[in-house]
Amino acid sequence: MLNQKSIGRYEVVSVLGQGAMGTVYKASDPVIERAVAIKTINLELSREERAEFEERFYREAKSAGRLNHPNIVTIYDVGETEDAAYIAMEYIEGEPLRDVLDSGVVLPLKRICQIAVQVANALNYAHENGVVHRDIKPANIMFEAQGGELKITDFGIARLTDAGRTRTGIVLGTPSFMSPEQLQGRAVTGRSDLFSLGVMLYQMLTGQLPFRADSMPALMFRIAHDPHPPVRVLRPGLPLGVDEF
């Protein structure tokens, strides 16, 4: 079991969050004496599956670690413990954009546009360097409301967990933000990230998701086949141009 007092050489300070695939910690790097965020990925795999995962893990981490952009969280280090793989990355003060939206705060239109532009610029940079995020959503956007700093987290994580999807048949990630080709298991390109950004922008502008349903199959069908309600139907006071986003 993972020792929560330390992960590799890093000394755990606190738990920042927990999900189905692992836990995110705030930790201290005693060598460089700086705060880092540590994301763990649970490894409940057979010997053969683990060997395949390790190859993919280091390949994807290496690709994501090359990214150097002011709106992308920097990856410092990767490694493994007995039960988990981990990624050490830049620690960002602030909170996920999801928490800001869930709190009921309505961001000004100008700020929403600034967020969209910053995320789009970061994605363009990543795509030019051959890296597709695959899980763009408010939970993966770290947001500092006062200073306005914004960073995309978890580059490469969704691809690392794809192997689990093929074994279990489970759609990983957040389906409401996923592109039709992702939900259908087809090849994913940077266009999928842009689709997810569009869904996120729609939610920031209207306070709700463009596609909603009572079941996963119905949601997947709506995303693949149904048009979304125009933004100005839900918020008539917005400028005419927002429906063209």
Side-chain angles (χ1 to χ4, degrees):
M1 187 170 180
L2 185 66
N3 179 0
Q4 295 188 359
K5 293 184 178 179
S6 64
I7 303 171
R9 76 168 189 260
Y10 303 97
E11 300 169 355
V12 171
V13 176
S14 62
V15 175
L16 297 175
Q18 194 157 10
M21 296 303 298
T23 305
V24 182
Y25 300 91
K26 180 180 179 180
S28 173
D29 183 339
V31 176
I32 305 179
E33 297 185 347
R34 68 180 169 192
V36 298
I38 304 284
K39 179 152 193 152
T40 63
I41 303 171
N42 296 332
L43 296 179
E44 297 178 359
L45 306 172
S46 68
R47 181 178 299 177
E48 293 77 13
E49 290 168 342
R50 179 153 183 161
E52 178 186 349
F53 175 87
E54 287 175 352
E55 180 182 355
R56 180 186 296 226
F57 175 67
Y58 287 105
R59 183 174 66 246
E60 293 300 322
K62 186 176 181 179
S63 295
R66 291 195 191 105
L67 299 179
N68 181 18
H69 189 277
N71 298 121
I72 296 176
V73 167
T74 301
I75 293 177
Y76 296 138
D77 187 21
V78 296
E80 293 179 67
T81 66
E82 183 178 344
D83 299 325
Y86 66 86
I87 300 176
M89 64 192 80
E90 178 183 7
Y91 174 74
I92 305 296
E93 294 286 354
E95 58 185 328
L97 181 59
R98 178 190 62 189
D99 293 353
V100 176
L101 299 179
D102 288 350
S103 72
V105 171
V106 178
L107 296 171
L109 178 59
K110 181 178 179 181
R111 187 69 188 108
I112 291 172
C113 293
Q114 290 172 338
I115 291 171
V117 168
Q118 288 179 74
V119 174
N121 285 339
L123 290 176
N124 180 65
Y125 168 82
H127 297 162
E128 287 181 342
N129 284 274
V131 180
V132 179
H133 189 286
R134 297 168 176 259
D135 196 19
I136 290 295
K137 58 187 178 184
N140 284 334
I141 308 296
M142 290 301 295
F143 181 72
E144 206 287 301
Q146 296 299 321
E149 183 180 17
L150 179 152
K151 298 264 187 176
I152 304 176
T153 68
D154 282 9
F155 267 94
I157 299 297
R159 185 172 176 85
L160 289 175
T161 56
D162 271 355
R165 184 171 97 175
T166 59
R167 289 193 307 274
T168 64
I170 297 172
V171 174
L172 297 175
T174 306
S176 294
F177 292 89
M178 296 172 76
S179 65
E181 60 268 25
Q182 260 179 300
L183 292 171
Q184 294 165 2
R186 294 190 279 122
V188 172
T189 68
R191 293 172 63 89
S192 292
D193 284 346
L194 297 183
F195 181 94
S196 301
L197 173 57
V199 174
M200 192 177 79
L201 177 58
Y202 189 100
Q203 184 185 33
M204 288 191 290
L205 288 168
T206 67
Q208 67 181 52
L209 294 165
F211 305 105
R212 295 182 292 176
D214 295 330
S215 68
M216 178 70 73
L219 176 62
M220 292 170 69
F221 182 88
R222 293 204 64 191
I223 291 173
H225 299 285
D226 292 354
H228 63 270
V231 171
R232 295 183 70 253
V233 168
L234 301 175
R235 285 190 63 189
L238 290 171
L240 290 172
V242 297
D243 275 329
E244 299 176 5
F245 283 175

